[in-house]
Amino acid sequence: MNEQIKYYFIVNKWAGAHHSAQTWERLHQLLVQNAVNFERVVTKYPQHATQLAQEFADLHPQGWVIVAIGGDGTLLEVLNGVRRSKNTVPIGYVPAGSGNDFARAVGIASDPSTALQQLIQTTTPITLDIGAYQNQANQLTQYFTNNIGIGFDARVVYEANQGQKVRLSKWHLESMAYVSALLKTLMRQKGFPLTIDIDGERHEFANAFVVSLTNIKYFGGGVGIAPRANLHDGKLDVVITEKLSFFKFVKLFIKLLRGGKHLDMPDVFFKTGREIHVQAFENEHGQVNGEDLPLQAFDLKIWMTKQPFWFNHKAAASQE
């Protein structure tokens, strides 16, 4: 353990269908037992973690790690707060959400107590790719660790977030919310026109259905949408399918669950790129890091940048 490093924990008590507050109680005991120098704050409302991270990073340029405790959405908020700061501060992450795809992608343990041990045993930061995007309607630049989705996967996220996860959490069946949402969306989601420029090369789709622009291998709680994704190559993986028949979609989904064989299917478009401009011309659901984006027509410019993180280097290397 690096005794000179101090940790600022931002706890989202609503993450993981409200289980993360209980997670913090266990982690607090471990921190005290290991004589870790830390501070803790609990978020009070949506986007509060962004504000807290920015304010703390502005005042503490060195010697601190800002740690998100929650799900991929909490990590998203902390990342955006840190990126808005005048200082560069490494980000740590202890997964306590429903999906935890970033942790899965970089080798952070799914058990929060083990993940905390990994965190405090780290001695130096590791620099990884992150995505940046700008909505051309407002020119606001925002950042993400995982992926941006338009269409099918985004609507699954929307349907699952409509209270189902919380209702099922008392039986620890949050994943069933995604199964229910997937089946509902498969029947209701329609194709839509989409144009995407990848490093200056234009591709047009008349009937887009699944549109995933991803920095990591997973989305939706462990579904391997982009098995070739690499957090060090400076590129996003782009996976698109048009509207398929029910039987073709089932075939695709089975291949997707079998280690990425879906990328070899003729119905799947796959490319990588450093700079992407995507336009969806009809109102569609969107998601970033598993968080809903407002129903809208999309006009996004996306590019890659870097961010220092605080976790075990060997774990990250094993996921490349």
Side-chain angles (χ1 to χ4, degrees), residues 281-305:
F281 303 99
E282 299 175 356
N283 285 344
E284 293 296 333
H285 288 282
Q287 65 86 15
V288 56
N289 268 42
E291 296 296 301
D292 296 322
L293 292 173
L295 190 69
Q296 61 186 288
F298 285 90
D299 187 356
L300 303 178
K301 287 189 175 180
I302 309 165
W303 64 97
M304 302 305 292
T305 185

PDB file of all heavy atoms in Angstrom, residues 281-305:
ATOM      1  N   PHE A 281     -31.466  10.315 -37.734  1.00  0.00           N
ATOM      2  CA  PHE A 281     -32.305  11.425 -38.171  1.00  0.00           C
ATOM      3  C   PHE A 281     -33.711  11.406 -37.585  1.00  0.00           C
ATOM      4  O   PHE A 281     -34.484  12.339 -37.801  1.00  0.00           O
ATOM      5  CB  PHE A 281     -32.353  11.440 -39.697  1.00  0.00           C
ATOM      6  CG  PHE A 281     -30.984  11.527 -40.316  1.00  0.00           C
ATOM      7  CD1 PHE A 281     -30.352  10.387 -40.802  1.00  0.00           C
ATOM      8  CD2 PHE A 281     -30.317  12.733 -40.379  1.00  0.00           C
ATOM      9  CE1 PHE A 281     -29.090  10.460 -41.363  1.00  0.00           C
ATOM     10  CE2 PHE A 281     -29.053  12.819 -40.935  1.00  0.00           C
ATOM     11  CZ  PHE A 281     -28.428  11.684 -41.431  1.00  0.00           C
ATOM     12  N   GLU A 282     -34.043  10.350 -36.846  1.00  0.00           N
ATOM     13  CA  GLU A 282     -35.337  10.279 -36.179  1.00  0.00           C
ATOM     14  C   GLU A 282     -35.115  10.194 -34.668  1.00  0.00           C
ATOM     15  O   GLU A 282     -34.025   9.832 -34.224  1.00  0.00           O
ATOM     16  CB  GLU A 282     -36.115   9.050 -36.660  1.00  0.00           C
ATOM     17  CG  GLU A 282     -36.398   9.063 -38.167  1.00  0.00           C
ATOM     18  CD  GLU A 282     -37.052   7.773 -38.638  1.00  0.00           C
ATOM     19  OE1 GLU A 282     -37.206   6.837 -37.803  1.00  0.00           O
ATOM     20  OE2 GLU A 282     -37.393   7.690 -39.830  1.00  0.00           O
ATOM     21  N   ASN A 283     -36.125  10.542 -33.905  1.00  0.00           N
ATOM     22  CA  ASN A 283     -36.002  10.460 -32.449  1.00  0.00           C
ATOM     23  C   ASN A 283     -35.806   9.013 -32.023  1.00  0.00           C
ATOM     24  O   ASN A 283     -36.625   8.147 -32.331  1.00  0.00           O
ATOM     25  CB  ASN A 283     -37.246  11.031 -31.768  1.00  0.00           C
ATOM     26  CG  ASN A 283     -37.282  12.543 -31.822  1.00  0.00           C
ATOM     27  OD1 ASN A 283     -36.270  13.190 -32.098  1.00  0.00           O
ATOM     28  ND2 ASN A 283     -38.433  13.127 -31.550  1.00  0.00           N
ATOM     29  N   GLU A 284     -34.689   8.759 -31.321  1.00  0.00           N
ATOM     30  CA  GLU A 284     -34.363   7.417 -30.860  1.00  0.00           C
ATOM     31  C   GLU A 284     -33.859   7.470 -29.422  1.00  0.00           C
ATOM     32  O   GLU A 284     -33.423   8.514 -28.940  1.00  0.00           O
ATOM     33  CB  GLU A 284     -33.265   6.797 -31.742  1.00  0.00           C
ATOM     34  CG  GLU A 284     -33.681   6.504 -33.167  1.00  0.00           C
ATOM     35  CD  GLU A 284     -34.775   5.453 -33.268  1.00  0.00           C
ATOM     36  OE1 GLU A 284     -34.860   4.603 -32.352  1.00  0.00           O
ATOM     37  OE2 GLU A 284     -35.535   5.485 -34.248  1.00  0.00           O
ATOM     38  N   HIS A 285     -33.938   6.319 -28.763  1.00  0.00           N
ATOM     39  CA  HIS A 285     -33.345   6.200 -27.437  1.00  0.00           C
ATOM     40  C   HIS A 285     -31.828   6.139 -27.576  1.00  0.00           C
ATOM     41  O   HIS A 285     -31.294   5.609 -28.549  1.00  0.00           O
ATOM     42  CB  HIS A 285     -33.849   4.943 -26.722  1.00  0.00           C
ATOM     43  CG  HIS A 285     -35.275   5.035 -26.285  1.00  0.00           C
ATOM     44  ND1 HIS A 285     -35.659   5.727 -25.170  1.00  0.00           N
ATOM     45  CD2 HIS A 285     -36.414   4.527 -26.839  1.00  0.00           C
ATOM     46  CE1 HIS A 285     -36.974   5.638 -25.027  1.00  0.00           C
ATOM     47  NE2 HIS A 285     -37.454   4.928 -26.033  1.00  0.00           N
ATOM     48  N   GLY A 286     -31.137   6.703 -26.594  1.00  0.00           N
ATOM     49  CA  GLY A 286     -29.686   6.638 -26.550  1.00  0.00           C
ATOM     50  C   GLY A 286     -29.227   6.304 -25.145  1.00  0.00           C
ATOM     51  O   GLY A 286     -29.972   6.481 -24.168  1.00  0.00           O
ATOM     52  N   GLN A 287     -28.005   5.798 -25.036  1.00  0.00           N
ATOM     53  CA  GLN A 287     -27.437   5.513 -23.720  1.00  0.00           C
ATOM     54  C   GLN A 287     -25.940   5.762 -23.755  1.00  0.00           C
ATOM     55  O   GLN A 287     -25.295   5.587 -24.788  1.00  0.00           O
ATOM     56  CB  GLN A 287     -27.742   4.076 -23.271  1.00  0.00           C
ATOM     57  CG  GLN A 287     -27.114   2.972 -24.100  1.00  0.00           C
ATOM     58  CD  GLN A 287     -25.688   2.597 -23.686  1.00  0.00           C
ATOM     59  OE1 GLN A 287     -25.246   2.971 -22.594  1.00  0.00           O
ATOM     60  NE2 GLN A 287     -24.978   1.856 -24.530  1.00  0.00           N
ATOM     61  N   VAL A 288     -25.390   6.164 -22.623  1.00  0.00           N
ATOM     62  CA  VAL A 288     -23.950   6.285 -22.457  1.00  0.00           C
ATOM     63  C   VAL A 288     -23.600   5.677 -21.104  1.00  0.00           C
ATOM     64  O   VAL A 288     -24.189   6.026 -20.080  1.00  0.00           O
ATOM     65  CB  VAL A 288     -23.474   7.748 -22.572  1.00  0.00           C
ATOM     66  CG1 VAL A 288     -24.178   8.667 -21.602  1.00  0.00           C
ATOM     67  CG2 VAL A 288     -21.966   7.835 -22.401  1.00  0.00           C
ATOM     68  N   ASN A 289     -22.696   4.691 -21.104  1.00  0.00           N
ATOM     69  CA  ASN A 289     -22.344   3.951 -19.881  1.00  0.00           C
ATOM     70  C   ASN A 289     -23.564   3.374 -19.180  1.00  0.00           C
ATOM     71  O   ASN A 289     -23.614   3.275 -17.950  1.00  0.00           O
ATOM     72  CB  ASN A 289     -21.582   4.848 -18.899  1.00  0.00           C
ATOM     73  CG  ASN A 289     -20.082   4.759 -19.066  1.00  0.00           C
ATOM     74  OD1 ASN A 289     -19.583   4.731 -20.177  1.00  0.00           O
ATOM     75  ND2 ASN A 289     -19.350   4.723 -17.960  1.00  0.00           N
ATOM     76  N   GLY A 290     -24.591   3.008 -19.939  1.00  0.00           N
ATOM     77  CA  GLY A 290     -25.792   2.432 -19.348  1.00  0.00           C
ATOM     78  C   GLY A 290     -26.746   3.437 -18.754  1.00  0.00           C
ATOM     79  O   GLY A 290     -27.728   3.059 -18.109  1.00  0.00           O
ATOM     80  N   GLU A 291     -26.510   4.734 -18.991  1.00  0.00           N
ATOM     81  CA  GLU A 291     -27.401   5.783 -18.511  1.00  0.00           C
ATOM     82  C   GLU A 291     -28.196   6.338 -19.692  1.00  0.00           C
ATOM     83  O   GLU A 291     -27.653   6.570 -20.777  1.00  0.00           O
ATOM     84  CB  GLU A 291     -26.595   6.908 -17.854  1.00  0.00           C
ATOM     85  CG  GLU A 291     -25.840   6.477 -16.608  1.00  0.00           C
ATOM     86  CD  GLU A 291     -26.771   6.048 -15.479  1.00  0.00           C
ATOM     87  OE1 GLU A 291     -27.598   6.887 -15.047  1.00  0.00           O
ATOM     88  OE2 GLU A 291     -26.676   4.888 -15.030  1.00  0.00           O
ATOM     89  N   ASP A 292     -29.490   6.572 -19.467  1.00  0.00           N
ATOM     90  CA  ASP A 292     -30.360   7.060 -20.526  1.00  0.00           C
ATOM     91  C   ASP A 292     -29.924   8.419 -21.043  1.00  0.00           C
ATOM     92  O   ASP A 292     -29.576   9.320 -20.266  1.00  0.00           O
ATOM     93  CB  ASP A 292     -31.805   7.194 -20.013  1.00  0.00           C
ATOM     94  CG  ASP A 292     -32.414   5.867 -19.614  1.00  0.00           C
ATOM     95  OD1 ASP A 292     -32.143   4.868 -20.302  1.00  0.00           O
ATOM     96  OD2 ASP A 292     -33.166   5.842 -18.617  1.00  0.00           O
ATOM     97  N   LEU A 293     -29.967   8.574 -22.360  1.00  0.00           N
ATOM     98  CA  LEU A 293     -29.902   9.881 -22.985  1.00  0.00           C
ATOM     99  C   LEU A 293     -31.310  10.238 -23.449  1.00  0.00           C
ATOM    100  O   LEU A 293     -32.100   9.348 -23.793  1.00  0.00           O
ATOM    101  CB  LEU A 293     -28.950   9.856 -24.178  1.00  0.00           C
ATOM    102  CG  LEU A 293     -27.465   9.654 -23.853  1.00  0.00           C
ATOM    103  CD1 LEU A 293     -26.662   9.476 -25.141  1.00  0.00           C
ATOM    104  CD2 LEU A 293     -26.920  10.818 -23.039  1.00  0.00           C
ATOM    105  N   PRO A 294     -31.663  11.518 -23.464  1.00  0.00           N
ATOM    106  CA  PRO A 294     -33.027  11.894 -23.868  1.00  0.00           C
ATOM    107  C   PRO A 294     -33.380  11.390 -25.263  1.00  0.00           C
ATOM    108  O   PRO A 294     -32.517  11.306 -26.145  1.00  0.00           O
ATOM    109  CB  PRO A 294     -32.983  13.431 -23.826  1.00  0.00           C
ATOM    110  CG  PRO A 294     -31.865  13.769 -22.912  1.00  0.00           C
ATOM    111  CD  PRO A 294     -30.847  12.682 -23.086  1.00  0.00           C
ATOM    112  N   LEU A 295     -34.637  11.036 -25.448  1.00  0.00           N
ATOM    113  CA  LEU A 295     -35.136  10.639 -26.758  1.00  0.00           C
ATOM    114  C   LEU A 295     -34.912  11.803 -27.723  1.00  0.00           C
ATOM    115  O   LEU A 295     -35.376  12.919 -27.480  1.00  0.00           O
ATOM    116  CB  LEU A 295     -36.628  10.298 -26.656  1.00  0.00           C
ATOM    117  CG  LEU A 295     -37.274   9.637 -27.869  1.00  0.00           C
ATOM    118  CD1 LEU A 295     -36.747   8.227 -28.055  1.00  0.00           C
ATOM    119  CD2 LEU A 295     -38.792   9.622 -27.722  1.00  0.00           C
ATOM    120  N   GLN A 296     -34.189  11.553 -28.830  1.00  0.00           N
ATOM    121  CA  GLN A 296     -33.799  12.656 -29.702  1.00  0.00           C
ATOM    122  C   GLN A 296     -33.272  12.118 -31.023  1.00  0.00           C
ATOM    123  O   GLN A 296     -32.958  10.930 -31.170  1.00  0.00           O
ATOM    124  CB  GLN A 296     -32.682  13.474 -29.041  1.00  0.00           C
ATOM    125  CG  GLN A 296     -31.418  12.660 -28.786  1.00  0.00           C
ATOM    126  CD  GLN A 296     -30.359  13.411 -28.014  1.00  0.00           C
ATOM    127  OE1 GLN A 296     -29.744  14.309 -28.560  1.00  0.00           O
ATOM    128  NE2 GLN A 296     -30.179  13.066 -26.743  1.00  0.00           N
ATOM    129  N   ALA A 297     -33.154  13.027 -31.996  1.00  0.00           N
ATOM    130  CA  ALA A 297     -32.344  12.759 -33.187  1.00  0.00           C
ATOM    131  C   ALA A 297     -30.902  13.057 -32.797  1.00  0.00           C
ATOM    132  O   ALA A 297     -30.629  14.051 -32.121  1.00  0.00           O
ATOM    133  CB  ALA A 297     -32.802  13.651 -34.334  1.00  0.00           C
ATOM    134  N   PHE A 298     -29.971  12.201 -33.202  1.00  0.00           N
ATOM    135  CA  PHE A 298     -28.588  12.324 -32.744  1.00  0.00           C
ATOM    136  C   PHE A 298     -27.684  12.908 -33.824  1.00  0.00           C
ATOM    137  O   PHE A 298     -27.787  12.543 -35.002  1.00  0.00           O
ATOM    138  CB  PHE A 298     -28.049  10.955 -32.309  1.00  0.00           C
ATOM    139  CG  PHE A 298     -28.582  10.506 -30.986  1.00  0.00           C
ATOM    140  CD1 PHE A 298     -29.756   9.759 -30.909  1.00  0.00           C
ATOM    141  CD2 PHE A 298     -27.925  10.827 -29.813  1.00  0.00           C
ATOM    142  CE1 PHE A 298     -30.257   9.344 -29.693  1.00  0.00           C
ATOM    143  CE2 PHE A 298     -28.419  10.422 -28.582  1.00  0.00           C
ATOM    144  CZ  PHE A 298     -29.585   9.682 -28.518  1.00  0.00           C
ATOM    145  N   ASP A 299     -26.811  13.806 -33.391  1.00  0.00           N
ATOM    146  CA  ASP A 299     -25.755  14.343 -34.244  1.00  0.00           C
ATOM    147  C   ASP A 299     -24.529  14.503 -33.346  1.00  0.00           C
ATOM    148  O   ASP A 299     -24.337  15.535 -32.703  1.00  0.00           O
ATOM    149  CB  ASP A 299     -26.181  15.681 -34.844  1.00  0.00           C
ATOM    150  CG  ASP A 299     -25.182  16.198 -35.881  1.00  0.00           C
ATOM    151  OD1 ASP A 299     -24.131  15.548 -36.065  1.00  0.00           O
ATOM    152  OD2 ASP A 299     -25.444  17.251 -36.494  1.00  0.00           O
ATOM    153  N   LEU A 300     -23.718  13.447 -33.274  1.00  0.00           N
ATOM    154  CA  LEU A 300     -22.613  13.388 -32.324  1.00  0.00           C
ATOM    155  C   LEU A 300     -21.272  13.284 -33.027  1.00  0.00           C
ATOM    156  O   LEU A 300     -21.121  12.512 -33.971  1.00  0.00           O
ATOM    157  CB  LEU A 300     -22.766  12.174 -31.399  1.00  0.00           C
ATOM    158  CG  LEU A 300     -24.043  12.035 -30.578  1.00  0.00           C
ATOM    159  CD1 LEU A 300     -23.998  10.735 -29.779  1.00  0.00           C
ATOM    160  CD2 LEU A 300     -24.245  13.218 -29.659  1.00  0.00           C
ATOM    161  N   LYS A 301     -20.317  14.055 -32.553  1.00  0.00           N
ATOM    162  CA  LYS A 301     -18.928  13.861 -32.930  1.00  0.00           C
ATOM    163  C   LYS A 301     -18.214  13.219 -31.755  1.00  0.00           C
ATOM    164  O   LYS A 301     -18.337  13.682 -30.615  1.00  0.00           O
ATOM    165  CB  LYS A 301     -18.286  15.197 -33.308  1.00  0.00           C
ATOM    166  CG  LYS A 301     -18.771  15.723 -34.649  1.00  0.00           C
ATOM    167  CD  LYS A 301     -17.954  16.926 -35.113  1.00  0.00           C
ATOM    168  CE  LYS A 301     -18.398  17.348 -36.514  1.00  0.00           C
ATOM    169  NZ  LYS A 301     -17.630  18.533 -37.007  1.00  0.00           N
ATOM    170  N   ILE A 302     -17.472  12.147 -32.029  1.00  0.00           N
ATOM    171  CA  ILE A 302     -16.855  11.343 -30.979  1.00  0.00           C
ATOM    172  C   ILE A 302     -15.386  11.153 -31.323  1.00  0.00           C
ATOM    173  O   ILE A 302     -15.034  10.903 -32.479  1.00  0.00           O
ATOM    174  CB  ILE A 302     -17.547   9.963 -30.864  1.00  0.00           C
ATOM    175  CG1 ILE A 302     -19.070  10.143 -30.738  1.00  0.00           C
ATOM    176  CG2 ILE A 302     -17.006   9.174 -29.674  1.00  0.00           C
ATOM    177  CD1 ILE A 302     -19.855   8.879 -30.967  1.00  0.00           C
ATOM    178  N   TRP A 303     -14.537  11.276 -30.326  1.00  0.00           N
ATOM    179  CA  TRP A 303     -13.103  11.063 -30.529  1.00  0.00           C
ATOM    180  C   TRP A 303     -12.512  10.438 -29.270  1.00  0.00           C
ATOM    181  O   TRP A 303     -13.185  10.304 -28.242  1.00  0.00           O
ATOM    182  CB  TRP A 303     -12.401  12.366 -30.898  1.00  0.00           C
ATOM    183  CG  TRP A 303     -12.430  13.426 -29.832  1.00  0.00           C
ATOM    184  CD1 TRP A 303     -11.463  13.719 -28.924  1.00  0.00           C
ATOM    185  CD2 TRP A 303     -13.499  14.365 -29.583  1.00  0.00           C
ATOM    186  NE1 TRP A 303     -11.846  14.771 -28.111  1.00  0.00           N
ATOM    187  CE2 TRP A 303     -13.093  15.183 -28.499  1.00  0.00           C
ATOM    188  CE3 TRP A 303     -14.761  14.590 -30.157  1.00  0.00           C
ATOM    189  CZ2 TRP A 303     -13.885  16.207 -27.989  1.00  0.00           C
ATOM    190  CZ3 TRP A 303     -15.554  15.604 -29.643  1.00  0.00           C
ATOM    191  CH2 TRP A 303     -15.116  16.397 -28.582  1.00  0.00           C
ATOM    192  N   MET A 304     -11.240  10.068 -29.345  1.00  0.00           N
ATOM    193  CA  MET A 304     -10.589   9.377 -28.238  1.00  0.00           C
ATOM    194  C   MET A 304      -9.581  10.273 -27.541  1.00  0.00           C
ATOM    195  O   MET A 304      -8.938  11.118 -28.163  1.00  0.00           O
ATOM    196  CB  MET A 304      -9.882   8.112 -28.750  1.00  0.00           C
ATOM    197  CG  MET A 304     -10.793   7.122 -29.456  1.00  0.00           C
ATOM    198  SD  MET A 304     -12.189   6.625 -28.448  1.00  0.00           S
ATOM    199  CE  MET A 304     -11.324   5.688 -27.172  1.00  0.00           C
ATOM    200  N   THR A 305      -9.446  10.085 -26.235  1.00  0.00           N
ATOM    201  CA  THR A 305      -8.433  10.770 -25.451  1.00  0.00           C
ATOM    202  C   THR A 305      -7.959   9.816 -24.361  1.00  0.00           C
ATOM    203  O   THR A 305      -8.273   8.628 -24.402  1.00  0.00           O
ATOM    204  CB  THR A 305      -8.968  12.111 -24.902  1.00  0.00           C
ATOM    205  OG1 THR A 305      -7.915  12.814 -24.247  1.00  0.00           O
ATOM    206  CG2 THR A 305     -10.132  11.906 -23.943  1.00  0.00           C
TER     207      THR A 305
END
